[in-house]
Amino acid sequence: MSGQDKRVQDAAHAPREDFVKGPTVIPFGPQHPVLPEPLHFDLLLEDEKVLGAIPQIGYIHRGLELLVEKRDFADYVHVAERICGICSFMHGMGYCEAVESLLGLPIPDRARYLRTFWCELERVHSHLLWMGLAADALGFESLFMAAWRTRELVLDVAEETAGGRVIFGSAIVGGVSKDPSDETLARCIKALALAREEVKRLSMVMLQNITVRHRLEGVGVLSADAAYALGAVGPMLRASGRAYDARSLGYAAYGEIGFETVVETAGDCMARAIVRAREIEQSFAIMDKVVAAIPAGPVSVPAKGMPPKGESFARLEQPRGEVVYYVRSNGTRNLERFRVRTPTFANVPAMVEAMRGSSLADVPTIVLTIDPCISCTER
Amino acid sequence: MPLLPMSRVILKNFFSRPATRLYPFVVRPAFAESRGRIAIDYPQCIHCGACARRCPANAILVGKEPKSWRIDAFACVTCGLCVKVCPKKCLRMDNERPKSADFADKDSRVESHVTPPAPEAGGPNGA
């Protein structure tokens, strides 16, 4: 434990009268204008400077992992999808990938391509949601409205292809449950091209606006080594200069489609914003490629029999970073254990590190640029 | 950076209609694939119970005596599996989503159908 860490720990557990001498403790959250979900920090301040933060979660735990013992393994995907309202499809799909590898069940090519399409659709709508929230927190109301209006175009495509706006409900063990026709997909690509133009303009407005740059540049700097050592994932890690993206594992159809990992080197809030803006653009390109290359054929194979005794992992790249799914079976229709390591959970230590040394007014910006998803984190 | 990139949007906003609709008076037509709600053509139902057994959310209840079929719209996850397994194809997925006002009172979320028992021949109320 470094000297500063020790000071932070001591201050947190110090008797009340010692606070007068030590750093000021400011509670941040669980209710705060920038937080869409409850997350609490005890911020330890010296004047306006943040010495450290003690995060605390546990406000919205729902016990969804335990439900896997009570549900049929094929039905649990509906629960897995409801872990989060933003990356819902990827949660369902990650669970399916883990169970499919346990069953040794290869899924049809068309299903793999459709999964890739919906993953990227979800990434776009998640990043647009983030862009709106970030703009709102910075006081940029018109950009907030514009970003969410554009997000509606993307959600319409989701509803047209998968049947749901946010809970897609289309991932099932053995493939996907919806099969949009090629005409529908072509129509969707046209609608997405409109959104793409809009996003290009919005990204430019956000990233080149002088006020936004003043708020984000040089704030919450996280070095590449610190990001790696603290286990940061997703845009948080990539903005610090480490080119790591779980999509390069080649799950679903990423192996065939191919893509380039988006990396920025500055490691500050601005770099994280740039990574997300570039990822939206890249996601549109991936969706174009998927629709151009999608093979014909069935979209699902029946998942017959019990999952054999054993365990398996699946790793995906969610909008917020890498997520890990673990399933263990005891040979019955009910799995024994299901565990999700979500990206926000992995990013919290890195966020605390990024806050250190920043001023109190910058804390909301730093919290926002990790794009926290507390529902995922607590499940 | 182009000068005033949002100026086009501002000008457009002066002359265009609002991006939102006057919901619930103006409703966007649903897509063909939209997941709305499960509906039943009740006279066709043979009360086999396949839908209730397949339902992952236990939202459907099929009674044998007296013959009945009911669904809790709040428990339903609109996965559409009941529609797939129905042997008589009397279940369907409507793409129109119910309005929240339709569920204003607690009982309205449950759709229930009951077949009245046939009067027994020779019984006190029989023919």
Side-chain angles (χ1 to χ4, degrees), chain A residues 136-178:
Chain A
D136 188 39
L138 297 170
F140 203 159
E141 289 271 337
S142 55
L143 181 61
F144 161 57
M145 302 280 178
W148 281 38
R149 184 173 62 197
T150 312
R151 182 170 170 259
E152 276 310 304
L153 300 173
V154 180
L155 291 180
D156 278 354
V157 170
E159 186 169 348
E160 195 170 356
T161 52
R165 276 163 52 88
V166 173
I167 303 283
F168 289 15
S170 50
I172 52 170
V173 176
V176 292
S177 63
K178 292 269 182 184

mmCIF file of all heavy atoms in Angstrom, chain A residues 136-178:
data_model
loop_
_atom_site.group_PDB
_atom_site.id
_atom_site.type_symbol
_atom_site.label_atom_id
_atom_site.label_comp_id
_atom_site.label_asym_id
_atom_site.label_seq_id
_atom_site.Cartn_x
_atom_site.Cartn_y
_atom_site.Cartn_z
ATOM 1 N N ASP A 136 -25.398 16.129 -21.911
ATOM 2 C CA ASP A 136 -26.314 16.681 -20.916
ATOM 3 C C ASP A 136 -25.557 17.086 -19.659
ATOM 4 O O ASP A 136 -25.801 18.140 -19.080
ATOM 5 C CB ASP A 136 -27.389 15.631 -20.599
ATOM 6 C CG ASP A 136 -28.479 16.193 -19.718
ATOM 7 O OD1 ASP A 136 -28.848 17.356 -19.937
ATOM 8 O OD2 ASP A 136 -28.955 15.474 -18.820
ATOM 9 N N ALA A 137 -24.609 16.225 -19.236
ATOM 10 C CA ALA A 137 -23.845 16.522 -18.026
ATOM 11 C C ALA A 137 -22.964 17.746 -18.213
ATOM 12 O O ALA A 137 -22.687 18.460 -17.257
ATOM 13 C CB ALA A 137 -22.998 15.322 -17.642
ATOM 14 N N LEU A 138 -22.521 17.962 -19.453
ATOM 15 C CA LEU A 138 -21.673 19.126 -19.714
ATOM 16 C C LEU A 138 -22.518 20.378 -19.976
ATOM 17 O O LEU A 138 -21.989 21.438 -20.283
ATOM 18 C CB LEU A 138 -20.772 18.859 -20.920
ATOM 19 C CG LEU A 138 -19.774 17.715 -20.767
ATOM 20 C CD1 LEU A 138 -19.124 17.406 -22.096
ATOM 21 C CD2 LEU A 138 -18.712 18.046 -19.744
ATOM 22 N N GLY A 139 -23.824 20.222 -19.913
ATOM 23 C CA GLY A 139 -24.702 21.364 -20.133
ATOM 24 C C GLY A 139 -24.983 21.647 -21.595
ATOM 25 O O GLY A 139 -25.450 22.717 -21.956
ATOM 26 N N PHE A 140 -24.723 20.684 -22.464
ATOM 27 C CA PHE A 140 -24.904 20.851 -23.904
ATOM 28 C C PHE A 140 -26.245 20.225 -24.288
ATOM 29 O O PHE A 140 -26.297 19.157 -24.881
ATOM 30 C CB PHE A 140 -23.742 20.149 -24.617
ATOM 31 C CG PHE A 140 -23.467 20.656 -26.007
ATOM 32 C CD1 PHE A 140 -22.228 20.447 -26.588
ATOM 33 C CD2 PHE A 140 -24.432 21.313 -26.736
ATOM 34 C CE1 PHE A 140 -21.963 20.885 -27.857
ATOM 35 C CE2 PHE A 140 -24.178 21.760 -28.003
ATOM 36 C CZ PHE A 140 -22.936 21.545 -28.563
ATOM 37 N N GLU A 141 -27.332 20.903 -23.918
ATOM 38 C CA GLU A 141 -28.670 20.311 -24.045
ATOM 39 C C GLU A 141 -29.037 19.948 -25.482
ATOM 40 O O GLU A 141 -29.634 18.911 -25.736
ATOM 41 C CB GLU A 141 -29.712 21.286 -23.502
ATOM 42 C CG GLU A 141 -29.684 21.426 -22.008
ATOM 43 C CD GLU A 141 -30.583 20.424 -21.311
ATOM 44 O OE1 GLU A 141 -31.518 19.949 -21.952
ATOM 45 O OE2 GLU A 141 -30.318 20.133 -20.137
ATOM 46 N N SER A 142 -28.685 20.833 -26.426
ATOM 47 C CA SER A 142 -29.145 20.581 -27.798
ATOM 48 C C SER A 142 -28.466 19.342 -28.376
ATOM 49 O O SER A 142 -29.089 18.572 -29.110
ATOM 50 C CB SER A 142 -28.873 21.794 -28.685
ATOM 51 O OG SER A 142 -27.513 22.134 -28.610
ATOM 52 N N LEU A 143 -27.211 19.112 -27.997
ATOM 53 C CA LEU A 143 -26.527 17.909 -28.480
ATOM 54 C C LEU A 143 -27.143 16.666 -27.856
ATOM 55 O O LEU A 143 -27.278 15.631 -28.506
ATOM 56 C CB LEU A 143 -25.033 17.982 -28.164
ATOM 57 C CG LEU A 143 -24.198 16.802 -28.621
ATOM 58 C CD1 LEU A 143 -24.262 16.647 -30.125
ATOM 59 C CD2 LEU A 143 -22.754 16.943 -28.186
ATOM 60 N N PHE A 144 -27.538 16.779 -26.599
ATOM 61 C CA PHE A 144 -28.211 15.682 -25.917
ATOM 62 C C PHE A 144 -29.472 15.272 -26.676
ATOM 63 O O PHE A 144 -29.691 14.104 -26.990
ATOM 64 C CB PHE A 144 -28.525 16.135 -24.479
ATOM 65 C CG PHE A 144 -29.574 15.358 -23.748
ATOM 66 C CD1 PHE A 144 -29.456 13.985 -23.574
ATOM 67 C CD2 PHE A 144 -30.672 15.995 -23.203
ATOM 68 C CE1 PHE A 144 -30.417 13.279 -22.880
ATOM 69 C CE2 PHE A 144 -31.639 15.287 -22.514
ATOM 70 C CZ PHE A 144 -31.518 13.924 -22.357
ATOM 71 N N MET A 145 -30.285 16.263 -27.017
ATOM 72 C CA MET A 145 -31.526 15.984 -27.763
ATOM 73 C C MET A 145 -31.199 15.381 -29.129
ATOM 74 O O MET A 145 -31.818 14.411 -29.555
ATOM 75 C CB MET A 145 -32.325 17.267 -27.977
ATOM 76 C CG MET A 145 -32.700 17.977 -26.716
ATOM 77 S SD MET A 145 -34.118 17.193 -25.965
ATOM 78 C CE MET A 145 -34.291 18.181 -24.498
ATOM 79 N N ALA A 146 -30.202 15.967 -29.803
ATOM 80 C CA ALA A 146 -29.875 15.514 -31.158
ATOM 81 C C ALA A 146 -29.352 14.079 -31.129
ATOM 82 O O ALA A 146 -29.701 13.262 -31.985
ATOM 83 C CB ALA A 146 -28.853 16.451 -31.787
ATOM 84 N N ALA A 147 -28.526 13.763 -30.122
ATOM 85 C CA ALA A 147 -27.973 12.405 -30.047
ATOM 86 C C ALA A 147 -29.072 11.391 -29.798
ATOM 87 O O ALA A 147 -29.097 10.315 -30.407
ATOM 88 C CB ALA A 147 -26.925 12.337 -28.940
ATOM 89 N N TRP A 148 -29.987 11.724 -28.917
ATOM 90 C CA TRP A 148 -31.051 10.755 -28.620
ATOM 91 C C TRP A 148 -32.065 10.666 -29.748
ATOM 92 O O TRP A 148 -32.689 9.632 -29.933
ATOM 93 C CB TRP A 148 -31.729 11.114 -27.284
ATOM 94 C CG TRP A 148 -30.895 10.654 -26.132
ATOM 95 C CD1 TRP A 148 -29.532 10.699 -26.065
ATOM 96 C CD2 TRP A 148 -31.330 10.042 -24.916
ATOM 97 N NE1 TRP A 148 -29.118 10.164 -24.875
ATOM 98 C CE2 TRP A 148 -30.181 9.766 -24.152
ATOM 99 C CE3 TRP A 148 -32.568 9.730 -24.406
ATOM 100 C CZ2 TRP A 148 -30.253 9.170 -22.897
ATOM 101 C CZ3 TRP A 148 -32.638 9.144 -23.155
ATOM 102 C CH2 TRP A 148 -31.495 8.859 -22.414
ATOM 103 N N ARG A 149 -32.222 11.746 -30.505
ATOM 104 C CA ARG A 149 -33.115 11.672 -31.673
ATOM 105 C C ARG A 149 -32.506 10.723 -32.705
ATOM 106 O O ARG A 149 -33.202 9.908 -33.302
ATOM 107 C CB ARG A 149 -33.304 13.067 -32.270
ATOM 108 C CG ARG A 149 -34.291 13.082 -33.416
ATOM 109 C CD ARG A 149 -34.579 14.472 -33.874
ATOM 110 N NE ARG A 149 -33.360 15.117 -34.368
ATOM 111 C CZ ARG A 149 -33.225 16.423 -34.539
ATOM 112 N NH1 ARG A 149 -34.208 17.229 -34.232
ATOM 113 N NH2 ARG A 149 -32.097 16.927 -34.988
ATOM 114 N N THR A 150 -31.207 10.812 -32.883
ATOM 115 C CA THR A 150 -30.528 9.912 -33.822
ATOM 116 C C THR A 150 -30.604 8.474 -33.327
ATOM 117 O O THR A 150 -30.736 7.541 -34.105
ATOM 118 C CB THR A 150 -29.060 10.343 -33.965
ATOM 119 O OG1 THR A 150 -29.029 11.736 -34.174
ATOM 120 C CG2 THR A 150 -28.393 9.640 -35.115
ATOM 121 N N ARG A 151 -30.519 8.320 -32.007
ATOM 122 C CA ARG A 151 -30.588 6.974 -31.425
ATOM 123 C C ARG A 151 -31.933 6.317 -31.763
ATOM 124 O O ARG A 151 -32.005 5.096 -31.928
ATOM 125 C CB ARG A 151 -30.395 7.082 -29.914
ATOM 126 C CG ARG A 151 -30.401 5.763 -29.193
ATOM 127 C CD ARG A 151 -29.960 5.938 -27.748
ATOM 128 N NE ARG A 151 -30.193 4.722 -26.992
ATOM 129 C CZ ARG A 151 -31.211 4.533 -26.173
ATOM 130 N NH1 ARG A 151 -32.088 5.506 -25.982
ATOM 131 N NH2 ARG A 151 -31.363 3.393 -25.546
ATOM 132 N N GLU A 152 -32.987 7.120 -31.873
ATOM 133 C CA GLU A 152 -34.293 6.560 -32.221
ATOM 134 C C GLU A 152 -34.256 5.856 -33.578
ATOM 135 O O GLU A 152 -34.893 4.824 -33.762
ATOM 136 C CB GLU A 152 -35.359 7.658 -32.260
ATOM 137 C CG GLU A 152 -35.965 8.007 -30.928
ATOM 138 C CD GLU A 152 -36.462 6.816 -30.119
ATOM 139 O OE1 GLU A 152 -37.276 6.037 -30.617
ATOM 140 O OE2 GLU A 152 -36.021 6.682 -28.979
ATOM 141 N N LEU A 153 -33.506 6.424 -34.525
ATOM 142 C CA LEU A 153 -33.401 5.792 -35.850
ATOM 143 C C LEU A 153 -32.810 4.392 -35.701
ATOM 144 O O LEU A 153 -33.232 3.441 -36.358
ATOM 145 C CB LEU A 153 -32.510 6.624 -36.783
ATOM 146 C CG LEU A 153 -32.933 8.055 -37.091
ATOM 147 C CD1 LEU A 153 -31.839 8.746 -37.890
ATOM 148 C CD2 LEU A 153 -34.230 8.056 -37.873
ATOM 149 N N VAL A 154 -31.803 4.283 -34.815
ATOM 150 C CA VAL A 154 -31.134 3.007 -34.609
ATOM 151 C C VAL A 154 -32.076 2.024 -33.895
ATOM 152 O O VAL A 154 -32.150 0.846 -34.244
ATOM 153 C CB VAL A 154 -29.836 3.217 -33.800
ATOM 154 C CG1 VAL A 154 -29.125 1.916 -33.572
ATOM 155 C CG2 VAL A 154 -28.931 4.204 -34.508
ATOM 156 N N LEU A 155 -32.825 2.537 -32.922
ATOM 157 C CA LEU A 155 -33.748 1.665 -32.191
ATOM 158 C C LEU A 155 -34.860 1.155 -33.104
ATOM 159 O O LEU A 155 -35.335 0.031 -32.950
ATOM 160 C CB LEU A 155 -34.344 2.410 -30.993
ATOM 161 C CG LEU A 155 -33.378 2.731 -29.865
ATOM 162 C CD1 LEU A 155 -34.093 3.476 -28.747
ATOM 163 C CD2 LEU A 155 -32.743 1.477 -29.302
ATOM 164 N N ASP A 156 -35.273 1.999 -34.075
ATOM 165 C CA ASP A 156 -36.288 1.553 -35.031
ATOM 166 C C ASP A 156 -35.771 0.373 -35.851
ATOM 167 O O ASP A 156 -36.509 -0.573 -36.124
ATOM 168 C CB ASP A 156 -36.685 2.700 -35.962
ATOM 169 C CG ASP A 156 -37.710 3.617 -35.312
ATOM 170 O OD1 ASP A 156 -38.173 3.271 -34.212
ATOM 171 O OD2 ASP A 156 -38.024 4.666 -35.898
ATOM 172 N N VAL A 157 -34.490 0.449 -36.228
ATOM 173 C CA VAL A 157 -33.895 -0.669 -36.982
ATOM 174 C C VAL A 157 -33.891 -1.924 -36.107
ATOM 175 O O VAL A 157 -34.196 -3.027 -36.573
ATOM 176 C CB VAL A 157 -32.468 -0.317 -37.442
ATOM 177 C CG1 VAL A 157 -31.765 -1.536 -37.998
ATOM 178 C CG2 VAL A 157 -32.511 0.783 -38.472
ATOM 179 N N ALA A 158 -33.587 -1.749 -34.838
ATOM 180 C CA ALA A 158 -33.590 -2.891 -33.927
ATOM 181 C C ALA A 158 -34.973 -3.517 -33.856
ATOM 182 O O ALA A 158 -35.128 -4.738 -33.913
ATOM 183 C CB ALA A 158 -33.143 -2.449 -32.534
ATOM 184 N N GLU A 159 -35.991 -2.662 -33.760
ATOM 185 C CA GLU A 159 -37.350 -3.204 -33.645
ATOM 186 C C GLU A 159 -37.778 -3.877 -34.948
ATOM 187 O O GLU A 159 -38.452 -4.897 -34.930
ATOM 188 C CB GLU A 159 -38.327 -2.093 -33.267
ATOM 189 C CG GLU A 159 -39.713 -2.645 -32.985
ATOM 190 C CD GLU A 159 -40.654 -1.647 -32.349
ATOM 191 O OE1 GLU A 159 -40.207 -0.585 -31.907
ATOM 192 O OE2 GLU A 159 -41.855 -1.963 -32.300
ATOM 193 N N GLU A 160 -37.358 -3.304 -36.058
ATOM 194 C CA GLU A 160 -37.757 -3.869 -37.346
ATOM 195 C C GLU A 160 -37.121 -5.241 -37.575
ATOM 196 O O GLU A 160 -37.720 -6.128 -38.164
ATOM 197 C CB GLU A 160 -37.369 -2.904 -38.475
ATOM 198 C CG GLU A 160 -38.052 -3.236 -39.781
ATOM 199 C CD GLU A 160 -37.866 -2.147 -40.815
ATOM 200 O OE1 GLU A 160 -37.274 -1.108 -40.479
ATOM 201 O OE2 GLU A 160 -38.321 -2.347 -41.950
ATOM 202 N N THR A 161 -35.872 -5.410 -37.107
ATOM 203 C CA THR A 161 -35.188 -6.682 -37.370
ATOM 204 C C THR A 161 -35.373 -7.694 -36.247
ATOM 205 O O THR A 161 -35.585 -8.868 -36.506
ATOM 206 C CB THR A 161 -33.680 -6.452 -37.576
ATOM 207 O OG1 THR A 161 -33.183 -5.698 -36.474
ATOM 208 C CG2 THR A 161 -33.392 -5.730 -38.855
ATOM 209 N N ALA A 162 -35.288 -7.239 -34.984
ATOM 210 C CA ALA A 162 -35.306 -8.186 -33.870
ATOM 211 C C ALA A 162 -36.641 -8.230 -33.143
ATOM 212 O O ALA A 162 -36.925 -9.189 -32.430
ATOM 213 C CB ALA A 162 -34.196 -7.844 -32.883
ATOM 214 N N GLY A 163 -37.467 -7.198 -33.306
ATOM 215 C CA GLY A 163 -38.774 -7.213 -32.674
ATOM 216 C C GLY A 163 -38.850 -6.409 -31.395
ATOM 217 O O GLY A 163 -39.928 -6.177 -30.884
ATOM 218 N N GLY A 164 -37.716 -6.017 -30.839
ATOM 219 C CA GLY A 164 -37.738 -5.229 -29.608
ATOM 220 C C GLY A 164 -36.819 -4.042 -29.732
ATOM 221 O O GLY A 164 -35.828 -4.081 -30.452
ATOM 222 N N ARG A 165 -37.159 -2.956 -29.046
ATOM 223 C CA ARG A 165 -36.326 -1.751 -29.126
ATOM 224 C C ARG A 165 -35.064 -1.898 -28.285
ATOM 225 O O ARG A 165 -33.973 -1.589 -28.731
ATOM 226 C CB ARG A 165 -37.106 -0.549 -28.600
ATOM 227 C CG ARG A 165 -38.009 0.103 -29.589
ATOM 228 C CD ARG A 165 -39.008 0.969 -28.865
ATOM 229 N NE ARG A 165 -38.364 1.890 -27.941
ATOM 230 C CZ ARG A 165 -37.930 3.103 -28.282
ATOM 231 N NH1 ARG A 165 -38.043 3.514 -29.518
ATOM 232 N NH2 ARG A 165 -37.376 3.885 -27.388
ATOM 233 N N VAL A 166 -35.242 -2.350 -27.057
ATOM 234 C CA VAL A 166 -34.104 -2.420 -26.154
ATOM 235 C C VAL A 166 -33.815 -3.870 -25.764
ATOM 236 O O VAL A 166 -32.689 -4.339 -25.836
ATOM 237 C CB VAL A 166 -34.354 -1.541 -24.913
ATOM 238 C CG1 VAL A 166 -33.270 -1.737 -23.891
ATOM 239 C CG2 VAL A 166 -34.428 -0.077 -25.320
ATOM 240 N N ILE A 167 -34.859 -4.588 -25.353
ATOM 241 C CA ILE A 167 -34.717 -6.018 -25.128
ATOM 242 C C ILE A 167 -35.000 -6.681 -26.480
ATOM 243 O O ILE A 167 -36.148 -6.825 -26.880
ATOM 244 C CB ILE A 167 -35.722 -6.515 -24.061
ATOM 245 C CG1 ILE A 167 -35.551 -5.757 -22.746
ATOM 246 C CG2 ILE A 167 -35.612 -8.014 -23.871
ATOM 247 C CD1 ILE A 167 -34.379 -6.151 -21.900
ATOM 248 N N PHE A 168 -33.941 -7.038 -27.195
ATOM 249 C CA PHE A 168 -34.122 -7.581 -28.548
ATOM 250 C C PHE A 168 -34.844 -8.927 -28.486
ATOM 251 O O PHE A 168 -35.687 -9.233 -29.297
ATOM 252 C CB PHE A 168 -32.779 -7.775 -29.245
ATOM 253 C CG PHE A 168 -32.085 -6.488 -29.632
ATOM 254 C CD1 PHE A 168 -32.486 -5.281 -29.102
ATOM 255 C CD2 PHE A 168 -31.048 -6.499 -30.530
ATOM 256 C CE1 PHE A 168 -31.848 -4.100 -29.443
ATOM 257 C CE2 PHE A 168 -30.401 -5.324 -30.891
ATOM 258 C CZ PHE A 168 -30.795 -4.133 -30.343
ATOM 259 N N GLY A 169 -34.460 -9.758 -27.527
ATOM 260 C CA GLY A 169 -35.105 -11.053 -27.358
ATOM 261 C C GLY A 169 -34.851 -12.011 -28.494
ATOM 262 O O GLY A 169 -35.608 -12.961 -28.685
ATOM 263 N N SER A 170 -33.798 -11.774 -29.285
ATOM 264 C CA SER A 170 -33.637 -12.626 -30.453
ATOM 265 C C SER A 170 -32.518 -13.654 -30.301
ATOM 266 O O SER A 170 -32.377 -14.524 -31.151
ATOM 267 C CB SER A 170 -33.378 -11.764 -31.688
ATOM 268 O OG SER A 170 -32.362 -10.843 -31.416
ATOM 269 N N ALA A 171 -31.730 -13.597 -29.242
ATOM 270 C CA ALA A 171 -30.689 -14.611 -29.055
ATOM 271 C C ALA A 171 -31.290 -15.810 -28.334
ATOM 272 O O ALA A 171 -31.973 -15.653 -27.324
ATOM 273 C CB ALA A 171 -29.544 -14.039 -28.225
ATOM 274 N N ILE A 172 -31.094 -16.999 -28.889
ATOM 275 C CA ILE A 172 -31.529 -18.221 -28.214
ATOM 276 C C ILE A 172 -30.372 -19.220 -28.269
ATOM 277 O O ILE A 172 -29.479 -19.079 -29.108
ATOM 278 C CB ILE A 172 -32.798 -18.846 -28.847
ATOM 279 C CG1 ILE A 172 -32.608 -19.027 -30.350
ATOM 280 C CG2 ILE A 172 -34.026 -18.027 -28.548
ATOM 281 C CD1 ILE A 172 -33.694 -19.849 -30.988
ATOM 282 N N VAL A 173 -30.403 -20.193 -27.378
ATOM 283 C CA VAL A 173 -29.361 -21.213 -27.406
ATOM 284 C C VAL A 173 -29.523 -21.987 -28.714
ATOM 285 O O VAL A 173 -30.590 -22.539 -28.977
ATOM 286 C CB VAL A 173 -29.480 -22.155 -26.188
ATOM 287 C CG1 VAL A 173 -28.462 -23.266 -26.286
ATOM 288 C CG2 VAL A 173 -29.292 -21.373 -24.906
ATOM 289 N N GLY A 174 -28.503 -21.971 -29.551
ATOM 290 C CA GLY A 174 -28.569 -22.651 -30.845
ATOM 291 C C GLY A 174 -28.743 -21.706 -32.020
ATOM 292 O O GLY A 174 -28.908 -22.154 -33.137
ATOM 293 N N GLY A 175 -28.701 -20.405 -31.789
ATOM 294 C CA GLY A 175 -28.811 -19.478 -32.911
ATOM 295 C C GLY A 175 -29.550 -18.218 -32.538
ATOM 296 O O GLY A 175 -29.345 -17.667 -31.467
ATOM 297 N N VAL A 176 -30.417 -17.768 -33.451
ATOM 298 C CA VAL A 176 -31.251 -16.596 -33.170
ATOM 299 C C VAL A 176 -32.700 -16.945 -33.507
ATOM 300 O O VAL A 176 -32.957 -17.879 -34.260
ATOM 301 C CB VAL A 176 -30.797 -15.353 -33.980
ATOM 302 C CG1 VAL A 176 -29.442 -14.865 -33.516
ATOM 303 C CG2 VAL A 176 -30.772 -15.640 -35.462
ATOM 304 N N SER A 177 -33.634 -16.192 -32.928
ATOM 305 C CA SER A 177 -35.041 -16.554 -33.109
ATOM 306 C C SER A 177 -35.700 -15.771 -34.227
ATOM 307 O O SER A 177 -36.796 -16.108 -34.655
ATOM 308 C CB SER A 177 -35.805 -16.342 -31.803
ATOM 309 O OG SER A 177 -35.772 -14.983 -31.452
ATOM 310 N N LYS A 178 -35.074 -14.698 -34.685
ATOM 311 C CA LYS A 178 -35.690 -13.908 -35.757
ATOM 312 C C LYS A 178 -34.814 -13.989 -36.993
ATOM 313 O O LYS A 178 -33.581 -14.025 -36.890
ATOM 314 C CB LYS A 178 -35.810 -12.449 -35.320
ATOM 315 C CG LYS A 178 -36.807 -12.231 -34.201
ATOM 316 C CD LYS A 178 -38.171 -11.928 -34.743
ATOM 317 C CE LYS A 178 -39.139 -11.663 -33.585
ATOM 318 N NZ LYS A 178 -40.508 -11.449 -34.043
#
